Amino acid sequence: MKRSLALFLIALGAGAVLGACSKVGLQTGQQTSHVIPGTLRYGDLEEPIGLNPLLRLQAVGTDFDMFIFGYFFNLDDKLHYVPELATQVPTLQNGGISKDGLTITYHLRHGVKWQDGQQFTSHDVVFTVNAINNTKNNLQSREGWDHIKRIEAVGPYEVRFHLTKIYAPAIATFFSYGGLYPVLPAHLLEQYPDINHVPFNSNPVGTGPFKFVKWVHGDHLELAANPLYWRGPPKLQRIIMKVIPKETTVLVQLRTHEIDAWFRAPSNLYLEIKKLEPEYRVQLAPSFVYSHMDLNMKNPIFQDIRVRRAIHYAIDIQQIIHKVTHDVQVPSDAEVSKLSWAYNPNVMHYDYNLAKARALLAQAGWQPGPDGILYKNGKQLAFNLSAVTGGATGEATVQLVQQQLREIGMDVKIKNYPAELFFAPGQSGGILQTGRYDVGFYSWVAGADPDGDYSLYACDEFPPTGQNDLFWCDPTLSRALTAGRLTYDQSERKRAYAIVQSEIASQSVTIVMWFQRQIFVTSTHFHGFKPAPATTSNWNTWEWSME
């Protein structure tokens, strides 16, 4: 699953959203509480691109969806499924998955209402599946959903997914953490031929614990408790998310108590963030978020594996982790987290070795010119390196990488882009999706199921219909990715994904740099928050409280 946090679109390089509220501070001779009981005010760097979950892939959007909408299952802080709109996780053992693996049956929860009072039923599920697979709707990804041959309502509280072939990550995909999309209300949307420009997109209605109130673009979003929520009303009465595009400003507003929390704070500010204790909790939590550099294989320079490996050997990842992230992040050779059942610890490792890098480039025919830059057949070894404008971690990282690659004769120019352009869909001219970059540095939210790699690396996933924005087709990799999704047997899948990780590491088209330990800054008056490593930590928002 790719999220610019993708996530899922996670990628993390720009921020999230935060709460707008007037400051409550000290009055003459009397201390006043900074807390507004029942109200959570939180902040981050970016706002959602839109409010219809089907029309954008973005980590801050996924976080927001968890407040408003409902899924079949959430994933908790221990990576266990939490039944939501479905009451039981289908398996071969309980009969939820048929013996031939081609039919999956879900039993839906009774008594769930949409926030406008209408009943949630199987009709909503059928509608949403068809909307996802409706090519008139401008979805960035239908990965996994296109394996659905037919969706069948068996009464109001049972649905059957009939698949074209075995699809191992089905449970993680269909209205779950890996599938990107929640269930949408048929009664509000089925009247339209497509959902690209409908009132719902600016005034969403879901089944989640909080309902949408308003969005002041560029400033804040506001949510209120849903009194019809099937678990009962949430403990919080109101959530305010305020858009603060500068990291240092978010930090200032924490100090002045204008906000109560910052989720996924940047590691470059970790030393300053720690000074907020003891008024705030500062938690370091493991995650499935990894930071990496992608090499665009449209560029002829990167067609030579010796050049790609030379780049990998020339980057001192440990130095960058120390200087930029204050040792918060954890280096990794693989794009799969050590938290995953599929993790392969035996992939190719690249130590920091300038001699190896220079030798590889010489073997590839690159020779130094009088300016110290390498040349081959009269062409300079030069390319652009891009990250998100305004993301301090990304900007600092690409500057260090630029300096390090200059040591081996590469002329690297930095060309950064705003997050909304860098991660935009191809239809909107997105830099990554249209391939208008050479090397891109950003972070990604990997799913707990390793099949998320399919949309990133398979040969049939090139944009605009897929998310392989490296434009890299590796037959060995594609075969292993396909094998990993054609069985429900986890041991067989583990063998397939061991090949996937080995091939990605050895080819150095994606250069994995580190897995993130997420930094959560929360008021000591904020309770019930349990950071989760996969996709989003907003899995239990009905339990959150401000006291």
Side-chain angles (χ1 to χ4, degrees):
M1 165 193 51
K2 196 174 182 182
R3 281 191 165 81
S4 61
L5 190 137
L7 200 62
F8 331 254
L9 170 288
I10 226 206
L12 285 167
V17 189
L18 138 34
C21 190
S22 58
K23 178 171 63 176
V24 179
L26 297 179
Q27 297 178 347
T28 305
Q30 180 181 5
Q31 183 169 355
T32 303
S33 173
H34 300 289
V35 173
I36 304 174
T39 295
L40 172 67
R41 307 160 298 169
Y42 80 92
D44 217 321
L45 305 178
E46 64 175 325
E47 61 187 343
I49 295 171
L51 299 182
N52 188 326
L54 270 58
L55 303 181
R56 49 104 170 99
L57 297 179
Q58 185 190 26
V60 66
T62 299
D63 291 341
F64 196 71
D65 294 343
M66 298 296 286
F67 293 123
I68 296 177
F69 296 101
Y71 296 77
F72 281 174
F73 314 108
N74 290 342
L75 206 62
D76 70 11
D77 54 326
K78 305 293 191 238
L79 297 177
H80 299 146
Y81 284 111
V82 179
E84 296 285 319
L85 298 181
T87 59
Q88 184 182 51
V89 179
T91 64
L92 286 166
Q93 291 73 26
N94 64 25
I97 300 176
S98 63
K99 290 182 179 180
D100 64 5
L102 297 178
T103 301
I104 302 177
T105 301
Y106 293 90
H107 297 280
L108 304 180
R109 190 175 300 280
H110 293 237
V112 177
K113 290 185 178 181
W114 294 99
Q115 290 156 358
D116 62 4
Q118 294 292 312
Q119 287 290 136
F120 161 77
T121 70
S122 58
H123 182 61
D124 299 300
V125 177
V126 172
F127 162 77
T128 308
V129 170
N130 291 332
I132 291 168
N133 285 324
N134 179 358
T135 56
K136 294 180 180 179
N137 293 326
N138 294 334
L139 276 71
Q140 192 170 333
S141 174
R142 293 180 174 85
E143 180 58 41
W145 300 91
D146 52 1
H147 293 284
I148 300 171
K149 180 180 181 180
R150 181 168 57 94
I151 175 77
E152 174 190 8
V154 186
Y157 298 106
E158 184 177 333
V159 286
R160 290 177 186 161
F161 287 66
H162 299 277
L163 309 182
T164 57
K165 56 186 175 182
I166 291 175
Y167 180 57
I171 306 304
T173 300
F174 303 146
F175 302 119
S176 189
Y177 67 91
L180 311 180
Y181 308 126
V183 183
L184 299 187
H187 67 282
L188 295 178
L189 294 169
E190 62 186 347
Q191 60 185 297
Y192 302 104
D194 66 67
I195 60 172
N196 300 320
H197 305 285
V198 298
F200 178 89
N201 298 351
S202 58
N203 189 22
V205 174
T207 58
F210 297 91
K211 58 183 182 179
F212 176 76
V213 175
K214 65 180 176 181
W215 181 5
V216 179
H217 287 270
D219 189 79
H220 72 279
L221 299 94
E222 185 174 341
L223 305 171
N226 172 18
L228 303 178
Y229 184 50
W230 63 269
R231 283 189 171 95
K235 294 180 180 179
L236 285 173
Q237 298 166 16
R238 190 169 65 140
I239 296 175
I240 303 173
M241 309 167 68
K242 182 179 172 185
V243 185
I244 306 176
K246 291 188 67 175
E247 295 170 346
T248 51
T249 307
V250 182
L251 191 59
V252 167
Q253 293 203 14
L254 284 166
R255 289 175 180 146
T256 56
H257 299 277
E258 294 172 78
I259 57 175
D260 306 302
W262 191 5
F263 305 124
R264 300 194 191 101
S267 55
N268 61 291
L269 292 177
Y270 182 63
L271 298 183
E272 289 300 310
I273 288 168
K274 285 290 288 180
K275 295 176 183 177
L276 295 171
E277 294 177 325
E279 288 187 271
Y280 292 89
R281 300 185 196 92
V282 178
Q283 296 172 270
L284 282 180
S287 77
F288 283 87
V289 181
Y290 63 97
S291 296
H292 62 290
M293 296 198 318
D294 279 352
L295 279 57
N296 185 350
M297 293 295 278
K298 286 184 173 182
N299 189 325
I301 289 174
F302 303 136
Q303 292 292 326
D304 193 325
I305 190 173
R306 293 169 294 188
V307 173
R308 301 196 302 267
R309 286 180 171 172
I311 292 172
H312 211 153
Y313 279 119
I315 298 174
D316 189 345
I317 293 174
Q318 196 63 61
Q319 181 193 63
I320 296 172
I321 289 174
H322 177 69
K323 286 189 173 182
V324 177
T325 81
H326 305 291
D327 298 312
V328 168
Q329 315 304 12
V330 181
S332 179
D333 297 316
E335 86 292 351
V336 172
S337 168
K338 293 178 181 179
L339 300 172
S340 171
W341 55 264
Y343 173 67
N344 177 8
N346 301 312
V347 303
M348 184 171 178
H349 173 73
Y350 295 80
D351 54 333
Y352 173 57
N353 193 317
L354 295 180
K356 277 186 184 178
R358 292 188 179 107
L360 284 166
L361 292 169
Q363 291 170 22
W366 293 93
Q367 298 297 324
D371 57 358
I373 301 301
L374 296 176
Y375 289 80
K376 181 179 179 179
N377 300 326
K379 180 179 175 62
Q380 254 192 355
L381 207 171
F383 54 87
N384 293 329
L385 173 58
S386 302
V388 168
T389 301
T393 298
E395 289 182 339
T397 296
V398 296
Q399 288 171 11
L400 284 174
V401 170
Q402 178 190 46
Q403 295 168 18
Q404 292 172 357
L405 295 184
R406 183 65 175 79
E407 290 293 311
I408 59 169
M410 294 185 176
D411 182 19
V412 178
K413 293 182 172 59
I414 294 174
K415 190 174 183 180
N416 296 336
Y417 298 92
E420 60 271 18
L421 177 60
F422 198 50
F423 298 121
Q427 302 95 316
S428 303
I431 298 300
L432 294 174
Q433 281 272 294
T434 57
R436 293 184 291 123
Y437 75 101
D438 294 323
V439 180
F441 172 82
Y442 55 104
S443 300
W444 207 252
V445 184
D449 191 292
D451 181 74
D453 278 354
Y454 191 96
S455 66
L456 308 184
Y457 298 112
C459 291
D460 59 354
E461 288 291 324
F462 282 21
T465 56
Q467 294 182 300
N468 183 347
D469 46 36
L470 300 89
F471 301 91
W472 174 37
C473 179
D474 181 316
T476 299
L477 179 56
S478 273
R479 282 193 297 270
L481 286 166
T482 299
R485 56 172 38 180
L486 291 179
T487 176
Y488 295 106
D489 186 309
Q490 192 173 98
S491 61
E492 291 184 31
R493 298 188 72 205
K494 185 177 176 69
R495 285 192 288 271
Y497 291 115
I499 296 171
V500 168
Q501 293 165 76
S502 292
E503 190 69 4
I504 290 172
S506 68
Q507 293 298 312
S508 288
V509 180
T510 285
I511 297 176
V512 178
M513 301 182 72
W514 58 74
F515 267 85
Q516 294 190 10
R517 288 192 293 173
Q518 297 181 95
I519 303 172
F520 295 101
V521 187
T522 56
S523 167
T524 54
H525 297 275
F526 179 46
H527 304 288
F529 177 69
K530 300 176 183 177
T535 309
T536 177
S537 288
N538 291 10
W539 64 273
N540 70 327
T541 60
W542 66 90
E543 294 182 320
W544 293 3
S545 66
M546 281 293 298
E547 299 172 358

